[in-house]
Amino acid sequence: MSEYVLEAKDVTKVYETGETKVMALSDVDLQVEKGEFVSIMGPSGSGKTTLLVILSCFDKPTSGQVIIDGVDATKMREAELPKIRAEKIGFVFQNFNLIPTLSALENVELPMERGKIPKDKRRSRALELLESVGLKDKADRRPNKLSAGEQQRVAIARALANGPAIILADEPTGNLDSKTGREIIQLLRELSRKEGRTIILVTHDKQMASLSNRMLSLRDGKLLKKT
Protein backbone atom coordinates (compact mmCIF):
# COMPACT_ATOMS: atom_id res chain seq x y z
CA MET A 1 0.00 0.00 0.00
CA SER A 2 1.31 3.44 -0.96
CA GLU A 3 2.16 5.97 1.75
CA TYR A 4 0.31 8.60 -0.28
CA VAL A 5 -3.45 9.16 -0.27
CA LEU A 6 -3.27 10.64 -3.77
CA GLU A 7 -0.69 10.38 -6.56
CA ALA A 8 -0.46 11.63 -10.11
CA LYS A 9 2.26 9.90 -12.10
CA ASP A 10 3.39 11.38 -15.44
CA VAL A 11 -0.12 12.71 -16.07
CA THR A 12 -0.55 14.21 -19.52
CA LYS A 13 -3.81 15.48 -21.00
CA VAL A 14 -4.18 16.37 -24.66
CA TYR A 15 -7.40 17.74 -26.10
CA GLU A 16 -7.99 17.23 -29.81
CA THR A 17 -10.31 19.24 -32.03
CA GLY A 18 -10.00 18.07 -35.58
CA GLU A 19 -6.33 18.33 -36.43
CA THR A 20 -5.63 20.71 -33.54
CA LYS A 21 -4.05 19.35 -30.39
CA VAL A 22 -3.85 21.28 -27.13
CA MET A 23 -1.52 20.07 -24.37
CA ALA A 24 -3.45 20.90 -21.18
CA LEU A 25 -1.16 18.95 -18.83
CA SER A 26 2.35 17.66 -19.44
CA ASP A 27 3.99 14.90 -17.35
CA VAL A 28 2.56 16.10 -14.03
CA ASP A 29 3.87 14.28 -10.96
CA LEU A 30 2.18 14.92 -7.62
CA GLN A 31 2.29 13.01 -4.34
CA VAL A 32 0.08 14.02 -1.42
CA GLU A 33 0.24 12.46 2.03
CA LYS A 34 -2.72 11.87 4.34
CA GLY A 35 -3.61 15.04 6.22
CA GLU A 36 -1.61 17.38 3.97
CA PHE A 37 -3.03 20.73 2.91
CA VAL A 38 -1.63 21.45 -0.54
CA SER A 39 -2.35 24.49 -2.70
CA ILE A 40 -1.86 24.61 -6.46
CA MET A 41 -1.45 28.07 -7.93
CA GLY A 42 -1.40 29.26 -11.50
CA PRO A 43 -2.88 31.85 -13.88
CA SER A 44 -5.96 31.24 -16.03
CA GLY A 45 -5.22 28.66 -18.69
CA SER A 46 -2.38 27.06 -16.74
CA GLY A 47 -4.17 23.70 -16.43
CA LYS A 48 -5.41 23.99 -12.83
CA THR A 49 -9.00 23.05 -13.59
CA THR A 50 -7.97 20.24 -15.92
CA LEU A 51 -5.74 18.79 -13.20
CA LEU A 52 -8.54 18.99 -10.63
CA VAL A 53 -10.99 17.31 -13.00
CA ILE A 54 -8.54 14.45 -13.56
CA LEU A 55 -7.67 14.11 -9.87
CA SER A 56 -11.39 13.91 -9.11
CA CYS A 57 -11.87 11.08 -11.66
CA PHE A 58 -14.35 13.05 -13.76
CA ASP A 59 -11.97 12.60 -16.68
CA LYS A 60 -9.03 10.34 -17.43
CA PRO A 61 -5.58 11.50 -18.54
CA THR A 62 -4.35 10.85 -22.04
CA SER A 63 -1.45 9.07 -20.38
CA GLY A 64 -0.20 8.54 -16.85
CA GLN A 65 -1.83 7.34 -13.64
CA VAL A 66 -4.02 8.75 -10.89
CA ILE A 67 -3.85 6.65 -7.73
CA ILE A 68 -6.38 7.32 -4.96
CA ASP A 69 -5.89 5.62 -1.61
CA GLY A 70 -3.80 2.93 -3.28
CA VAL A 71 -6.25 2.31 -6.15
CA ASP A 72 -5.27 3.14 -9.74
CA ALA A 73 -8.34 5.04 -10.92
CA THR A 74 -7.08 5.17 -14.51
CA LYS A 75 -7.57 1.42 -14.76
CA MET A 76 -11.14 1.49 -13.48
CA ARG A 77 -14.18 1.15 -15.72
CA GLU A 78 -16.41 4.22 -16.14
CA ALA A 79 -19.16 2.48 -14.17
CA GLU A 80 -16.82 2.10 -11.19
CA LEU A 81 -15.71 5.74 -10.97
CA PRO A 82 -18.85 7.22 -9.31
CA LYS A 83 -18.28 4.90 -6.34
CA ILE A 84 -14.69 6.04 -5.75
CA ARG A 85 -15.79 9.69 -6.11
CA ALA A 86 -18.63 9.21 -3.61
CA GLU A 87 -16.48 7.40 -1.06
CA LYS A 88 -13.06 9.00 -1.37
CA ILE A 89 -13.51 12.58 -2.64
CA GLY A 90 -15.41 15.66 -1.45
CA PHE A 91 -15.80 18.79 -3.59
CA VAL A 92 -15.93 22.47 -2.72
CA PHE A 93 -16.69 24.84 -5.61
CA GLN A 94 -16.29 28.57 -6.18
CA ASN A 95 -20.02 28.97 -6.86
CA PHE A 96 -21.08 26.80 -3.87
CA ASN A 97 -23.39 24.66 -6.09
CA LEU A 98 -26.04 24.35 -3.39
CA ILE A 99 -29.54 23.34 -4.46
CA PRO A 100 -31.65 26.49 -3.89
CA THR A 101 -34.90 24.68 -3.08
CA LEU A 102 -33.30 22.63 -0.28
CA SER A 103 -32.38 23.76 3.21
CA ALA A 104 -28.80 23.75 4.44
CA LEU A 105 -29.54 20.49 6.25
CA GLU A 106 -31.04 18.87 3.15
CA ASN A 107 -28.10 19.99 1.01
CA VAL A 108 -25.70 18.27 3.40
CA GLU A 109 -27.87 15.14 3.53
CA LEU A 110 -28.01 14.76 -0.26
CA PRO A 111 -24.60 13.10 -0.85
CA MET A 112 -25.40 10.62 1.90
CA GLU A 113 -28.38 9.37 -0.10
CA ARG A 114 -26.04 8.62 -2.99
CA GLY A 115 -23.56 7.11 -0.54
CA LYS A 116 -26.31 4.78 0.71
CA ILE A 117 -26.06 5.93 4.32
CA PRO A 118 -29.23 4.79 6.13
CA LYS A 119 -31.94 7.43 6.37
CA ASP A 120 -32.05 7.40 10.17
CA LYS A 121 -28.36 8.34 10.31
CA ARG A 122 -28.32 11.06 7.65
CA ARG A 123 -30.04 13.80 9.64
CA SER A 124 -27.96 13.39 12.78
CA ARG A 125 -24.73 13.32 10.76
CA ALA A 126 -25.78 16.37 8.72
CA LEU A 127 -26.52 18.29 11.93
CA GLU A 128 -23.12 17.29 13.35
CA LEU A 129 -21.39 18.53 10.20
CA LEU A 130 -23.28 21.83 10.21
CA GLU A 131 -22.34 22.26 13.86
CA SER A 132 -18.68 21.63 12.95
CA VAL A 133 -18.78 24.57 10.50
CA GLY A 134 -20.72 26.78 12.93
CA LEU A 135 -24.12 26.63 11.25
CA LYS A 136 -26.27 24.21 13.23
CA ASP A 137 -28.60 27.07 14.19
CA LYS A 138 -29.23 27.82 10.49
CA ALA A 139 -29.87 24.23 9.37
CA ASP A 140 -33.41 25.00 8.17
CA ARG A 141 -32.46 28.02 6.05
CA ARG A 142 -32.32 27.85 2.28
CA PRO A 143 -29.20 29.18 0.49
CA ASN A 144 -30.83 32.53 -0.38
CA LYS A 145 -31.21 33.19 3.34
CA LEU A 146 -27.50 32.63 4.00
CA SER A 147 -24.52 34.90 3.37
CA ALA A 148 -21.92 33.87 0.77
CA GLY A 149 -19.56 32.75 3.52
CA GLU A 150 -22.30 30.71 5.18
CA GLN A 151 -23.16 29.07 1.87
CA GLN A 152 -19.54 28.04 1.43
CA ARG A 153 -19.54 26.58 4.94
CA VAL A 154 -22.59 24.52 4.02
CA ALA A 155 -20.74 23.41 0.89
CA ILE A 156 -17.79 22.29 3.04
CA ALA A 157 -20.13 20.37 5.36
CA ARG A 158 -21.66 18.72 2.29
CA ALA A 159 -18.20 17.79 1.00
CA LEU A 160 -17.57 15.97 4.29
CA ALA A 161 -20.87 14.08 4.26
CA ASN A 162 -19.52 10.68 3.23
CA GLY A 163 -16.28 10.95 5.19
CA PRO A 164 -13.96 11.31 2.18
CA ALA A 165 -10.20 10.97 2.48
CA ILE A 166 -9.65 13.91 0.11
CA ILE A 167 -11.26 17.34 -0.24
CA LEU A 168 -10.73 19.08 -3.61
CA ALA A 169 -11.45 22.82 -3.42
CA ASP A 170 -11.70 24.75 -6.69
CA GLU A 171 -11.24 28.50 -6.07
CA PRO A 172 -13.44 28.27 -2.93
CA THR A 173 -12.80 31.91 -1.98
CA GLY A 174 -13.34 33.34 -5.47
CA ASN A 175 -16.78 34.77 -4.66
CA LEU A 176 -15.94 35.90 -1.13
CA ASP A 177 -14.43 39.04 0.35
CA SER A 178 -10.89 38.67 1.69
CA LYS A 179 -11.90 38.38 5.37
CA THR A 180 -14.52 35.70 4.71
CA GLY A 181 -12.19 33.95 2.28
CA ARG A 182 -9.51 33.73 4.91
CA GLU A 183 -12.02 32.26 7.38
CA ILE A 184 -12.93 29.56 4.85
CA ILE A 185 -9.29 28.65 4.25
CA GLN A 186 -8.70 28.55 8.01
CA LEU A 187 -11.65 26.16 8.29
CA LEU A 188 -10.13 23.88 5.64
CA ARG A 189 -6.82 24.10 7.45
CA GLU A 190 -8.45 22.98 10.71
CA LEU A 191 -10.07 20.03 8.93
CA SER A 192 -6.63 18.99 7.76
CA ARG A 193 -4.94 19.51 11.11
CA LYS A 194 -7.56 18.12 13.48
CA GLU A 195 -9.31 15.46 11.39
CA GLY A 196 -6.48 14.36 9.11
CA ARG A 197 -8.37 15.36 5.96
CA THR A 198 -6.25 15.76 2.85
CA ILE A 199 -7.00 19.12 1.24
CA ILE A 200 -6.02 20.13 -2.29
CA LEU A 201 -6.78 23.79 -2.95
CA VAL A 202 -6.69 25.26 -6.45
CA THR A 203 -6.39 29.05 -6.41
CA HIS A 204 -4.81 32.06 -8.09
CA ASP A 205 -4.69 33.92 -4.76
CA LYS A 206 -1.21 33.72 -3.24
CA GLN A 207 -2.39 35.07 0.10
CA MET A 208 -4.89 32.21 0.45
CA ALA A 209 -2.41 29.64 -0.85
CA SER A 210 0.14 30.75 1.75
CA LEU A 211 -2.11 29.32 4.49
CA SER A 212 -1.54 25.78 3.18
CA ASN A 213 1.26 23.45 4.26
CA ARG A 214 2.74 23.23 0.77
CA MET A 215 2.43 25.48 -2.28
CA LEU A 216 2.87 24.23 -5.84
CA SER A 217 2.94 26.22 -9.06
CA LEU A 218 1.33 25.15 -12.34
CA ARG A 219 2.11 26.95 -15.58
CA ASP A 220 1.41 25.91 -19.17
CA GLY A 221 0.39 22.47 -17.97
CA LYS A 222 3.61 21.81 -16.07
CA LEU A 223 4.05 21.53 -12.32
CA LEU A 224 7.07 23.77 -11.94
CA LYS A 225 8.20 24.10 -8.38
CA LYS A 226 7.59 23.86 -4.69
CA THR A 227 7.53 27.04 -2.63
Side-chain angles (χ1 to χ4, degrees):
M1 180 69 68
S2 171
E3 64 184 289
Y4 302 112
V5 71
L6 186 147
E7 294 179 83
K9 296 183 176 182
D10 299 320
V11 166
T12 293
K13 183 65 179 180
V14 179
Y15 293 106
E16 296 187 32
T17 305
E19 296 182 359
T20 303
K21 294 184 179 182
V22 176
M23 181 80 74
L25 296 172
S26 178
D27 297 320
V28 170
D29 282 301
L30 175 64
Q31 295 82 35
V32 184
E33 296 179 358
K34 177 179 171 58
E36 262 200 291
F37 183 6
V38 178
S39 59
I40 300 174
M41 291 191 61
S44 297
S46 61
K48 300 192 305 297
T49 298
T50 300
L51 179 58
L52 209 63
V53 166
I54 287 175
L55 293 179
S56 63
C57 302
F58 277 112
D59 196 7
K60 290 189 176 182
T62 305
S63 62
Q65 296 173 282
V66 174
I67 300 171
I68 297 174
D69 230 3
V71 176
D72 188 346
T74 53
K75 292 182 179 178
M76 297 178 74
R77 293 180 289 109
E78 287 296 327
E80 296 174 305
L81 293 175
K83 186 174 186 292
I84 198 169
R85 285 196 294 266
E87 294 179 354
K88 301 292 185 181
I89 302 170
F91 304 91
V92 181
F93 303 95
Q94 178 177 343
N95 294 322
F96 320 135
N97 285 9
L98 299 177
I99 296 177
T101 56
L102 299 182
S103 67
L105 182 67
E106 290 166 335
N107 268 283
V108 177
E109 284 183 297
L110 193 58
M112 289 186 263
E113 293 181 30
R114 298 168 186 155
K116 299 182 179 179
I117 292 176
K119 187 175 182 180
D120 60 339
K121 294 183 179 179
R122 289 179 208 153
R123 180 141 301 204
S124 60
R125 175 157 175 76
L127 285 169
E128 287 174 7
L129 289 168
L130 286 171
E131 184 174 23
S132 74
V133 298
L135 287 178
K136 186 177 182 180
D137 62 331
K138 297 182 180 180
D140 293 331
R141 295 193 185 184
R142 291 184 178 181
N144 66 347
K145 298 298 183 182
L146 299 170
S147 69
E150 288 169 341
Q151 289 183 64
Q152 195 60 290
R153 286 175 179 269
V154 173
I156 290 171
R158 180 186 58 188
L160 295 168
N162 289 326
I166 304 161
I167 300 291
L168 300 178
D170 186 9
E171 299 280 4
T173 64
N175 287 334
L176 306 175
D177 61 76
S178 58
K179 179 178 179 295
T180 305
R182 191 175 182 87
E183 290 172 356
I184 291 298
I185 299 301
Q186 292 285 14
L187 177 56
L188 291 173
R189 188 176 176 180
E190 286 297 293
L191 289 170
S192 173
R193 187 174 67 85
K194 290 184 177 180
E195 298 186 14
R197 305 285 180 185
T198 299
I199 313 290
I200 299 176
L201 167 70
V202 167
T203 184
H204 66 275
D205 189 328
K206 190 170 184 178
Q207 184 179 15
M208 297 303 172
S210 68
L211 297 173
S212 66
N213 303 130
R214 179 161 57 116
M215 292 170 60
L216 304 177
S217 176
L218 190 67
R219 187 175 294 274
D220 297 328
K222 294 180 179 292
L223 207 55
L224 297 179
K225 63 181 179 179
K226 298 179 181 180
T227 57

